[in-house]
Amino acid sequence: MSKFKNNMKPNYSLSARTYPILIVLIPVIIGGIFFSINLSSFYLLLTSVGTFGAFSFLLTQLGRDLGKRKEPKLWKDWGGAPSVQILRHRNDRIDEFTKKRYHTRLFELCPTEEIPTVYLEQNNPDFTDKLYLTWTKFMISNTRDTIKYNLLFKENVNYGFRRNLWGLKPIAITLIVITFSILTLNVFCDNNNMNIENWPKEYFISIFLLIVLFLFWIVVVTKNWIKQVAFAYAEKLFELTEEINIP
């Protein structure tokens, strides 16, 4: 049974790191199809054990680094890390009674100098934020079992996926613009005139797909899109305070 569970263990790197890179590369795939690249040959190459392993590792590293590098900017724009924010007395995302229960339980699990009060938070917000961050790190380190805390893990994957996708946004838009330019220049040179009626329909299909992708990156992949799942993860994290038992 344990072996079966290990085989079924969710893959964070694939979902949150590799998938964003593959989405970024969609314009390149569209360009490849337009120019009739022999995609089957590339597929056979990429699915070979050595090449696929190296390529996957590179993708996960790139996706993770770009996302993590921009994470502090997100938190600064939001007013702090979501897990810290929802523990603040002045934050009303969770009700005061639930928050008080969380504070009491967190103090039992991970004792600090004191339980932050409204007065202490108002007069020394930096100090209380450090306490909240300490509790956050404690909860994260004690909820790493992706099978036992599967719902939390899913929220973490959602956040990692969106954060990394947002981190790759400049690269994605650059690839779309480059692909658009190459396709247009190629068709124009082949037809040697500006008569659009003579341009192949494959060009217009490709351009339409590129425009849809461009709108996706501009309209969907935003800070607010990430913020939704970031706070959902933070809420789920502290919901587990009553499920954790430390010897």
Side-chain angles (χ1 to χ4, degrees):
M1 179 65 73
S2 60
K3 183 180 294 186
F4 174 77
K5 285 185 176 181
N6 289 335
N7 291 335
M8 295 298 291
K9 185 177 180 178
N11 192 321
Y12 179 89
S13 293
L14 180 64
S15 301
R17 297 172 186 168
T18 305
Y19 286 165
I21 293 288
L22 296 178
I23 293 174
V24 168
L25 293 177
I26 289 178
V28 178
I29 297 173
I30 292 175
I33 294 174
F34 179 80
F35 287 109
S36 299
I37 289 178
N38 188 349
L39 295 179
S40 60
S41 297
F42 281 93
Y43 177 79
L44 291 174
L45 175 64
L46 292 177
T47 51
S48 65
V49 177
T51 305
F52 181 76
F55 185 62
S56 297
F57 182 76
L58 175 62
L59 292 178
T60 56
Q61 294 300 308
L62 180 60
R64 180 196 64 181
D65 291 348
L66 290 174
K68 289 292 290 184
R69 191 180 306 161
K70 291 191 173 185
E71 190 172 60
K73 177 177 173 55
L74 284 176
W75 291 355
K76 182 178 180 180
D77 292 344
W78 295 343
S83 57
V84 170
Q85 287 191 58
I86 67 172
L87 289 179
R88 292 171 180 164
H89 289 284
R90 61 186 184 275
N91 184 281
D92 60 358
R93 190 171 181 95
I94 56 178
D95 66 89
E96 58 179 312
F97 304 105
T98 301
K99 189 174 301 184
K100 182 178 180 180
R101 192 173 72 250
Y102 287 169
H103 282 191
T104 302
R105 180 58 178 160
L106 285 166
F107 184 75
E108 294 174 356
L109 293 169
C110 181
T112 52
E113 293 185 23
E114 55 184 307
I115 299 180
T117 61
V118 175
Y119 176 80
L120 179 62
E121 189 176 292
Q122 290 175 344
N123 289 274
N124 200 342
D126 291 338
F127 174 71
T128 52
D129 276 358
K130 289 179 181 178
L131 294 181
Y132 298 146
L133 184 59
T134 296
W135 284 344
T136 297
K137 291 179 178 178
F138 170 84
M139 288 298 298
I140 291 174
S141 65
N142 285 276
T143 54
R144 297 191 186 279
D145 189 331
T146 58
I147 303 299
K148 183 177 181 180
Y149 306 111
N150 184 254
L151 293 179
L152 177 67
F153 176 75
K154 288 180 179 178
E155 294 292 356
N156 190 32
V157 169
N158 291 337
Y159 169 69
F161 172 79
R162 296 190 186 192
R163 180 202 63 196
N164 294 344
L165 204 61
W166 179 75
L168 293 164
K169 187 173 181 176
I171 296 177
I173 293 177
T174 301
L175 283 177
I176 291 173
V177 172
I178 291 175
T179 305
F180 178 91
S181 301
I182 292 175
L183 293 182
T184 302
L185 182 62
N186 177 264
V187 171
F188 176 73
C189 291
D190 283 350
N191 289 274
N192 201 26
N193 61 59
M194 289 296 292
N195 188 357
I196 298 180
E197 294 180 357
N198 295 331
W199 292 13
K201 63 179 181 179
E202 290 81 7
Y203 167 79
F204 296 104
I205 294 174
S206 299
I207 296 304
F208 172 76
L209 294 175
L210 290 175
I211 292 174
V212 170
L213 279 175
F214 180 80
L215 292 175
F216 165 75
W217 285 101
I218 296 298
V219 177
V220 177
V221 185
T222 62
K223 295 177 184 178
N224 286 333
W225 189 55
I226 309 169
K227 190 175 183 179
Q228 297 174 18
V229 292
F231 276 90
Y233 169 79
E235 290 178 0
K236 179 61 65 177
L237 178 68
F238 292 115
E239 285 177 8
L240 297 174
T241 54
E242 296 175 346
E243 294 185 24
I244 295 178
N245 292 309
I246 303 300

